[in-house]
Amino acid sequence: MAAYTRSLVGYAYRAEDYYEVGREKIREYARAVQDYGPVHWREAAAAEHGYGAVVAPPTFLSIPAMLANRRLFERVITGYDVYVQTDQVFEFHRPVVSGDRLVSDVEVAAVRTIAGKDLITVTNTFIDQFDEVVHVMHTTAVGVTGDDIDAGIGGAIERVIMHGVGAPSAARGLSEADLLEAAVAPRRDHRVSEASRKRLLHNVVRFEDVAVGDELPPRTARITRGDLVNYAGVSGDANPIHWHDGVAALAGLPDVIAHGMLTMALGAGFVTGWLRDPGALIRYAVRLSNYTIVDARSAGVVEFTGRIKSLDPETRTAVVVVVAKSAGRKIFGLATAEVRLA
């Protein structure tokens, strides 16, 4: 199985349809990730920051990425029962706003085997209606087989999963001819938007007002089971380990856990809340090291802190180290945000 998975490196395709970013979907997502920055909610606030429409929160494109990647994880990468997300990198070339029509190119960028586990990195490149690259996502997940989880988890998932969402496929995968066809498929070169690095910033923290070692105002986020169900519906991530006690137990978890992408979104909002403009975020990278447990009787709590690691006077940018802890455990093994300052 590992040899087949490694043979997929370089396999690529374009999503079958574009994804149109809607104003109300932005608001739904902002509510789901507890991001109440005014540019996500009101056109007037967005206009004050130089935008023509409400702005999507930084991790919003995880929604169309999941839709675009479904073909890959249901029909191409086979033999795994569960995927566990470990690393995520977001590269922001311009802010995404309501009305954007985005298509995703999907590529298996790398496959590594560490301690007997296959780590699969998938890259999503989002191109807008003007043929410009606006956002690139790199997602790394561990493929977990039935040897490492309860044999009954497949049936348990089938009994509770939302209609229209399938469990990982046990299909044969791609033939050599399929792989060859994908490998020689024509690649299109696209202009890369430079808006995130060049656009005029409004109402953003000034470079002269910060120093290396400065700490961001801390933030504490509470996550209830209701929040998890809402996020699952808004994002499309219907994995029942995030809302069903029985399936979580079969997966070897102590209880229901928060989505990794939800905790990342909360962390991104922590940074952009300090910046006051999500468009000032250039790059956001997170390595997950633990999870947030959400007990049915009480909320899970995530405490976010951050400090400025470095400053670049030439580009007026900063690198912020983000720390997330829950119940005394570090949720992020390493998380950094590269930001522009005014």
Side-chain angles (χ1 to χ4, degrees), residues 233-246:
V234 171
S235 69
D237 185 348
N239 190 331
I241 65 171
H242 303 303
W243 47 268
H244 192 284
D245 300 87

Side-chain angles (χ1 to χ4, degrees), residues 16-28:
E16 296 176 356
D17 199 1
Y18 64 83
Y19 181 92
E20 184 161 354
V21 180
R23 183 184 70 165
E24 301 313 318
K25 189 67 176 182
I26 287 175
R27 289 171 169 171
E28 286 180 6

Side-chain angles (χ1 to χ4, degrees), residues 123-144:
T123 296
N124 290 88
T125 302
F126 288 94
I127 301 100
D128 67 10
Q129 61 268 41
F130 307 111
D131 207 35
E132 282 194 336
V133 175
V134 300
H135 193 140
V136 180
M137 289 175 55
H138 308 278
T139 305
T140 300
V142 178
V144 180

